Amino acid sequence: SELTQPSAVSVSPGQTATITCSGDALPNQYAYWYRQRPGQAPVLVVYKDTQRPSGIPERLSGSNSGTTVTLTISGVQAEDEADYYCQSSDTTGTYVFFGGGTRLTVL
Amino acid sequence: QMQLQQPGPGLVRPPETLSLTCTVSGGSISSSRYYWGWFRQSPGTGLVWVGSIFSSGTTYYNPSLKNRVTISIDTSKNHFSLKLTSVTAADTAMYFCAISYGDTWPDGFDIWGQGTMVTVSS
């Protein structure tokens, strides 16, 4: 089950960044989002489409509209510059898949 | 807060077997409240799920790697392991272990190890 993300998104500090992830199974399977800074392990920033783990700022939010899920980062800061990956499953809910990742650049 | 410890970088010669362990601290690997996963990331590319294991021993593997992968749990050492057979240069990657606190399968992975860089070369 393929998950498609834009390869790159660029925004200026203080603006809003939106990163999309599209896949046929998304209407029936939850999506998860990870942030990965250079040389570091991934960090879960959104789970079950819209929920934020403790310690993740409110300006990061997730939404689901059928075959597309979106990670929105409001008031972008320099520290948000990273690669972002969506994760979901196949239609049977058996296997785990990642999108190809989106490089967020803060101009 | 649970933590996951992985070994330092390693070299594996083709077509030998890659073996990695992930040691758990701050919790018991035999708890049914969690499950465990392995992932890899080739240089400059994205994340790939390798497979996962529950404390019961149930496993799920990436279909593209299924014939070469084995994930197991050692409760006496509080660690879980990855074995990947018949490696080639294409298996060169950073390998991460992770834990999920999720109450469903599949769920997100909440805590990650720092990663182990494995190079496959003769």
Side-chain angles (χ1 to χ4, degrees), chain A residues 6-11 17-19 102-106:
Chain A
S7 58
V9 169
S10 299
V11 295
T18 57
I19 300 173
T102 300
R103 173 70 53 88
L104 175 64
T105 300
V106 181

Side-chain angles (χ1 to χ4, degrees), chain B residues 83-103:
Chain B
K83 291 188 185 298
L84 182 66
T85 62
S86 304
V87 297
T88 69
D91 295 311
T92 293
M94 181 73 80
Y95 286 77
F96 294 99
C97 60
I99 175 177
S100 176
Y101 297 146
D103 54 4

Side-chain angles (χ1 to χ4, degrees), chain A residues 28-89:
Chain A
N28 301 307
Q29 300 295 334
Y30 282 123
Y32 304 81
W33 289 95
Y34 299 86
R35 177 186 66 212
Q36 186 179 32
R37 294 178 173 135
Q40 297 186 16
V43 172
L44 183 67
V45 296
V46 169
Y47 66 98
K48 288 187 166 68
D49 292 346
T50 62
Q51 306 302 301
R52 263 188 316 275
S54 60
I56 301 300
E58 291 183 6
R59 55 195 186 78
L60 276 72
S61 62
S63 61
N64 183 322
S65 57
T67 57
T68 299
V69 293
T70 301
L71 175 68
T72 302
I73 307 174
S74 305
V76 165
Q77 302 176 5
E79 66 186 36
D80 297 320
E81 188 162 282
D83 294 327
Y84 290 84
Y85 293 92
C86 62
Q87 173 209 313
S88 190
S89 179

Side-chain angles (χ1 to χ4, degrees), chain B residues 34-115:
Chain B
Y34 325 115
Y35 54 89
W36 317 90
W38 285 101
F39 304 81
R40 72 181 189 180
Q41 187 172 34
S42 300
T45 67
L47 293 166
V48 174
W49 171 69
V50 175
S52 293
I53 188 166
F54 290 73
S55 58
S56 63
T58 298
T59 53
Y60 294 100
Y61 298 131
N62 185 318
S64 69
L65 299 169
K66 183 176 182 179
N67 292 337
R68 299 195 292 131
V69 173
T70 302
I71 297 175
S72 58
I73 284 179
D74 188 333
T75 56
S76 67
K77 297 180 180 178
N78 217 41
H79 75 205
F80 62 109
S81 300
L82 168 69
K83 291 188 185 298
L84 182 66
T85 62
S86 304
V87 297
T88 69
D91 295 311
T92 293
M94 181 73 80
Y95 286 77
F96 294 99
C97 60
I99 175 177
S100 176
Y101 297 146
D103 54 4
T104 59
W105 169 262
D107 210 310
F109 288 84
D110 301 88
I111 305 293
W112 292 66
Q114 78 274 29

